Amino acid sequence: MPRRVMLEGAGPGAQVPAHLTKVPISLIGTDTDYSDKTVKGRVVDKGPLVSLASDNFILKTVIQEEGSPPTASSQNPSINVVLFGALAEDFSRAVGRGDLVVASGFAVGRSPTFNKDKLHPFNLLLSGDDACVYVCRPPPPPPPDPRSPPASKRSAALPAKVSRTKAPKYTYRPTGRPEGRLGGSTRTEWWSSSKQAVQEPRHRS
């Protein structure tokens, strides 16, 4: 069975075909042939997968057009998308809220819940072999370069700066004075008197 929900760019055939053209959600109606058209939007709501019969499922989701918030003068750029069969089952497993998707091979029908949910007056209906959903996700980041060391190793290899205070090589202490506390003035007077006593010779009487 061919894949019906594909990650865009993930292998051959997972790219939106170049011949398909995007149509804005606000321009969806019943008077256009959508066989060569796509609708792109972000999943803002996703309902549960409901089993209708053996190997038959239905799922309802809501997508919103990127960069087009609803205004009072234009139609709401959000639209119900109803998926059937294997496509609904695949969508339930592979797509989550917040994913950006591109739908192709859809039909358009009037929305029976328009008066209740105030969304687009039409629904996108996806069923059969032509229906497909492409999931647009950003590519994963490249693997780290094996030649460059991890950040933890780089930081460990950097020399650590250590602030060291040089200790004095010796301590000077005046001699001829008992150890003890010397105040500022007392220390100065004592040192001056001692210096004079050394320098001035004694006079004999």
Side-chain angles (χ1 to χ4, degrees):
M1 183 180 66
R3 291 181 301 168
R4 303 176 186 278
V5 176
M6 294 178 283
L7 296 179
E8 186 180 14
Q15 193 77 20
V16 179
H19 70 277
L20 299 179
T21 58
K22 177 187 169 185
V23 58
I25 290 178
S26 59
L27 299 182
I28 293 292
T30 55
D31 55 351
T32 304
D33 179 13
Y34 295 101
S35 59
D36 59 346
K37 300 292 190 295
T38 64
V39 171
K40 185 175 183 178
R42 191 168 298 277
V43 177
V44 294
D45 194 13
K46 178 186 173 185
L49 181 67
V50 179
S51 177
L52 301 177
S54 178
D55 296 330
N56 192 14
F57 303 93
I58 184 173
L59 185 147
K60 184 177 180 180
T61 187
V62 179
I63 63 173
Q64 185 178 64
E65 196 161 33
E66 287 284 275
S68 300
T71 61
S73 59
S74 64
Q75 290 181 334
N76 194 311
S78 298
I79 191 169
N80 288 306
V81 181
V82 185
L83 306 99
F84 299 91
L87 178 59
E89 189 177 14
D90 292 347
F91 188 95
S92 176
R93 288 195 303 260
V95 182
R97 185 177 297 184
D99 283 340
L100 192 62
V101 298
V102 177
S104 65
F106 55 85
V108 175
R110 289 196 173 273
S111 173
T113 59
F114 170 67
N115 292 328
K116 181 180 179 181
D117 56 31
K118 304 302 180 184
L119 298 180
H120 200 284
F122 297 99
N123 289 346
L124 300 184
L125 310 175
L126 285 90
S127 63
D129 295 338
D130 294 333
C132 188
V133 174
Y134 300 88
V135 186
C136 309
R137 289 175 182 164
D145 189 350
R147 295 174 296 179
S148 58
S152 58
K153 291 186 178 181
R154 288 200 304 268
S155 59
L158 294 176
K161 279 191 173 182
V162 180
S163 177
R164 295 180 180 177
T165 304
K166 294 183 179 180
K169 295 182 180 180
Y170 58 88
T171 303
Y172 176 78
R173 179 181 297 161
T175 59
R177 178 74 176 178
E179 294 183 1
R181 181 177 179 184
L182 297 177
S185 59
T186 305
R187 182 186 297 270
T188 304
E189 292 171 2
W190 175 80
W191 176 251
S192 300
S193 61
S194 300
K195 187 175 180 182
Q196 292 175 1
V198 173
Q199 292 178 351
E200 296 178 0
R202 290 184 179 182
H203 298 279
R204 295 179 181 180
S205 56

